[in-house]
Amino acid sequence: QVQLVESGGGLVQAGGSLRLSCAASGHMFSSYNMGWFRQAPGEEREFVAGISWDSSTTYYADSVKGRFTISRDNAKNTGYLQMNSLKPEDTAVYYCAAPPGNNYFYAPGYEYWGQGTQVTVSS
């Protein structure tokens, strides 16, 4: 059993930065690939970024590539999402999840989810 808790969301102006954290309980987290998703009001949950258990492989949605960076510290059982050059369209609730099934991009395949953290970007 793994519990995930996101933090670091908030209100920021366009062009600003935020760093989200995903703190995990349970010793299995370090062996899990993980992902970040987001969901805006009235929209489906969408993939943002994914990272393999050993940080050797990362994936990004085209909409965030070059602006967001996913990372993790297995010694701290924590994943991160550094978000730079934020845009109003990045406004959403952000979720971390682990592990994916065979596809990082497919939300229903993930076994564990955090409760989400709100990110609001003002123009």
Side-chain angles (χ1 to χ4, degrees):
Q1 187 78 9
V2 173
Q3 291 186 320
L4 304 174
V5 179
E6 302 94 337
S7 62
L11 173 64
V12 64
Q13 288 190 330
S17 298
L18 284 173
R19 188 195 197 199
L20 305 184
S21 297
C22 174
S25 65
H27 64 282
M28 294 300 295
F29 177 76
S30 61
S31 64
Y32 287 162
N33 301 330
M34 68 166 291
W36 285 93
F37 287 76
R38 67 186 181 187
Q39 188 167 20
E43 303 286 336
E44 292 190 355
R45 193 166 297 190
E46 67 171 353
F47 173 81
V48 175
I51 187 168
S52 60
W53 67 273
D54 62 352
S55 302
S56 64
T57 306
T58 58
Y59 301 94
Y60 295 95
D62 287 343
S63 58
V64 307
K65 205 170 292 184
R67 299 188 298 122
F68 290 11
T69 303
I70 189 171
S71 63
R72 65 191 297 163
D73 185 340
N74 286 341
K76 296 182 178 180
N77 259 15
T78 303
Y80 303 99
L81 186 67
Q82 177 68 42
M83 307 186 295
N84 298 329
S85 302
L86 282 161
K87 304 175 181 180
E89 51 264 43
D90 295 317
T91 295
V93 177
Y94 283 71
Y95 300 88
C96 64
N102 294 325
N103 185 344
Y104 278 93
F105 310 98
Y106 184 61
Y110 284 77
E111 184 169 2
Y112 303 109
W113 289 85
Q115 84 290 347
T117 185
Q118 176 71 48
V119 171
T120 303
V121 184
S122 64
S123 57

